[in-house]
Amino acid sequence: MTECRCGIPKDDAEALRLSKFAADHGNAQGQNDLGVLYLGGRGGLPQNDTEAARLFRLSADQGFPAAQYNLGRLYQTGRGGLAKDEYAAARLYRTGAERGNAFAQVYLGLFYLEGRGGVTKDEREAGRQFKLSADQDNALGQAYLGLAYARGHAGVSKDQHEAVRLFKLSADQGNAVGQANLGFSYERGEGGLARDDREAVRLYKLSADQGNDQAQNSLGVAYLRGSGGLTRDETEAVRLYKLAAEHRNAQAQANLGLAYLGGVGGLPKDVVEAVRFFKMSADGGNALGQANLGAAYERGDGGLVKDEREAVRLYRLAADHGNRFAQAALARLGVPWPAAPQIMTELSAGDAHVRMVSGNGTFYVPALINGTLKLNFVVDSGASDVSIPADVAHPSPVRYASFLSYCVVGLWCARRAPAFDAISMGYGGQEQVEVHFGRKGTFQKGSCGSGKTAWSATAFSRQLHYLARSLA
């Protein structure tokens, strides 16, 4: 637990003397500080969550914001003899945050981000709370604001450079979350950093030593690979996976499942135990866990009853998160992906059938021309703010004739030259359509305009309607 010490002397013995004197006289800060010492078992005191909770409550009832945060954390985690209660935690975080406590602002922000503790999900408010904390030079606030910039959520636009700047500020203060995420940035070479596996491993070690489960998992991967200057050590990798998995890290659970599956790092080969970890990981939303649990259902491994329907469901979940094994499994089973739960448009002309569907936030158009040529048009636009050029929305016959002739040429080339890569198509105006064909004539990507305009999904389906009629 990251407790708020808020001015406690670094010398634990002196801190105990001062905080006990103050607490005995009803001073709110003294009560909070003595609670922190009991929580950590410091200054010669026995570790005692229950006494810490009593002292935090005395202080919080006097309106001391650090104690409100500390008591909120005990409610959130169910420590100190308290029943786990995220509603009580959220109430205390809000009170502490309103009084300016930087830690309370971070955790209130997390509750807004995830919609927990009775707090209505509000990413913009989450980002605002992270910024309030970071502006106080709080290392945890800097780390979470950095994550918001790295992922492009919590009301901010994606900006890897700003993310790395914030991670550095946090890591320089010794914060485990900042260190772990700065390590990720070095490993991937993001935010203007040169890729540096050694620096990544150094940061993972600093973070893992503080108990950060993401760093423990990443350090375990580095030991398994022998990267970042480490000697390959399967046993150490498994030890770190176990530590992270104990903190419910879904990626570590999947990695531990794979270790049991292969008998890695001194573990016995144990398919049943592997499946148990894959299930925990999949329940946590991890794509690697979902993919491997899907494979177990497909084969009937680890005591599971063979169930192809459940396997496909799990493969789809994993594929939606970019897992290539799951994507390949769906293709092998002949299952369409991305999933197409909603038909937006269905048009037909002769033997040409064109329909537009949406799946996973993307519009795409599977088409079968004359029963022989399969196409898959991926439509990247469709947002309400997309502008449609007038000559595209209301085209002239001449423009369409040119457009369609280029389409037919492109299809012809793709049929006869599977390695054909691309064809650019102009149809009488400044707008231009660039069509990329992959092997076997699969249309991979389409765009319209000079970068300032693009077709919406509806306009694109109109284009395909005319294309279908022309080829029928």
Side-chain angles (χ1 to χ4, degrees):
M1 171 175 160
T2 305
E3 74 276 3
C4 184
R5 297 193 57 167
C6 304
I8 300 178
K10 292 183 179 179
D11 185 314
D12 283 350
E14 181 65 6
L16 176 61
R17 186 184 70 81
L18 292 172
S19 60
K20 191 173 187 310
F21 178 84
D24 287 345
H25 288 79
N27 179 273
Q29 180 166 346
Q31 292 163 340
N32 176 73
D33 294 353
L34 187 58
V36 169
L37 294 174
Y38 270 111
L39 192 66
R42 303 169 68 168
L45 293 175
Q47 199 280 331
N48 190 331
D49 288 359
T50 303
E51 181 61 11
R54 186 186 73 82
L55 289 160
F56 290 153
R57 188 181 300 281
L58 289 172
S59 179
D61 287 346
Q62 296 188 63
F64 193 65
Q68 290 164 340
Y69 159 72
N70 286 328
L71 186 59
R73 285 291 287 146
L74 292 181
Y75 269 114
Q76 185 181 348
T77 54
R79 291 175 59 184
L82 302 175
K84 189 173 181 179
D85 187 343
E86 290 197 344
Y87 287 84
R91 178 179 57 80
L92 287 158
Y93 291 154
R94 188 184 301 280
T95 306
E98 287 171 352
R99 289 184 165 95
N101 183 270
F103 286 102
Q105 289 163 345
V106 172
Y107 280 89
L108 181 60
L110 289 171
F111 273 35
Y112 270 114
L113 191 65
E114 299 167 8
R116 294 168 62 180
V119 175
T120 302
K121 187 172 181 178
D122 186 338
E123 289 201 5
R124 191 173 297 277
E125 181 60 18
R128 189 180 78 86
Q129 293 293 334
F130 294 154
K131 189 173 189 309
L132 286 171
S133 178
D135 287 347
Q136 295 187 63
D137 201 31
N138 182 275
L140 193 62
Q142 291 164 339
Y144 278 105
L145 186 58
L147 278 169
Y149 276 108
R151 296 170 180 171
H153 69 186
V156 300
S157 300
K158 190 170 184 177
D159 186 338
Q160 295 289 356
H161 286 80
E162 181 63 6
V164 165
R165 184 187 74 82
L166 288 159
F167 293 152
K168 281 183 175 178
L169 290 173
S170 177
D172 287 347
Q173 295 189 63
N175 182 267
V177 179
Q179 290 165 340
N181 284 285
L182 185 58
F184 298 153
S185 300
Y186 271 110
E187 185 176 352
R188 298 166 185 161
E190 293 176 342
L193 298 176
R195 185 171 176 177
D196 189 336
D197 287 347
R198 288 179 180 270
E199 181 62 7
V201 164
R202 185 187 75 82
L203 288 159
Y204 292 153
K205 282 183 175 179
L206 290 172
S207 181
D209 287 345
Q210 296 185 64
N212 183 275
D213 55 280
Q214 290 181 321
Q216 289 165 342
N217 178 70
S218 294
L219 187 58
V221 171
Y223 270 110
L224 190 66
R225 295 173 178 169
S227 61
L230 298 176
T231 301
R232 192 171 187 274
D233 188 335
E234 292 182 355
T235 302
E236 180 63 7
V238 166
R239 185 187 74 83
L240 287 160
Y241 291 157
K242 284 183 175 180
L243 287 174
E246 287 171 2
H247 289 91
R248 300 181 181 179
N249 183 290
Q251 185 68 35
Q253 289 166 340
N255 287 333
L256 194 53
L258 289 172
Y260 273 109
L261 198 63
V264 170
L267 296 177
K269 276 192 176 185
D270 189 335
V271 180
V272 173
E273 190 67 358
V275 167
R276 187 175 75 85
F277 277 104
F278 292 150
K279 188 175 189 311
M280 286 191 284
S281 176
D283 289 345
N286 182 267
L288 184 61
Q290 291 163 343
N292 281 282
L293 185 59
Y297 270 110
E298 186 184 352
R299 295 189 295 258
D301 286 345
L304 298 177
V305 176
K306 191 173 181 179
D307 187 339
E308 188 171 304
R309 185 185 295 273
E310 180 63 5
V312 166
R313 185 187 73 82
L314 289 158
Y315 285 150
R316 277 180 165 157
L317 289 172
D320 288 347
H321 288 91
N323 184 277
R324 293 183 180 180
F325 173 84
Q327 292 168 358
L330 290 172
R332 172 173 50 77
L333 294 170
V335 177
W337 182 84
Q342 182 181 3
I343 297 178
M344 305 297 295
T345 306
E346 187 158 358
L347 306 169
S348 64
D351 292 324
H353 301 279
V354 178
R355 62 184 179 137
M356 177 168 284
V357 298
S358 68
N360 311 308
T362 302
F363 289 105
Y364 67 104
V365 181
L368 181 65
I369 307 298
N370 293 334
T372 57
L373 183 61
K374 292 182 179 180
L375 299 157
N376 189 38
F377 293 75
V378 178
V379 185
D380 297 317
S381 56
S384 60
D385 59 348
V386 172
S387 60
I388 307 171
D391 62 333
V392 173
H394 304 287
S396 69
V398 174
R399 289 180 186 274
Y400 260 115
S402 177
F403 167 69
L404 293 173
S405 67
Y406 275 107
C407 281
V408 172
V409 170
L411 296 175
W412 183 89
C413 290
R415 280 174 135 178
R416 286 162 176 72
F420 188 87
D421 181 54
I423 183 169
S424 293
M425 302 183 291
Y427 53 101
Q430 293 182 349
E431 282 71 33
Q432 180 176 317
V433 180
E434 185 177 84
V435 180
H436 300 269
F437 289 93
R439 298 186 65 83
K440 299 182 181 178
T442 301
F443 185 111
Q444 293 180 316
K445 188 175 182 181
S447 61
C448 173
S450 58
K452 297 180 180 179
T453 57
W455 288 336
S456 70
T458 303
F460 197 82
S461 69
R462 191 181 303 122
Q463 310 290 320
L464 294 175
H465 177 63
Y466 281 92
L467 175 59
R469 288 189 181 280
S470 73
L471 295 176

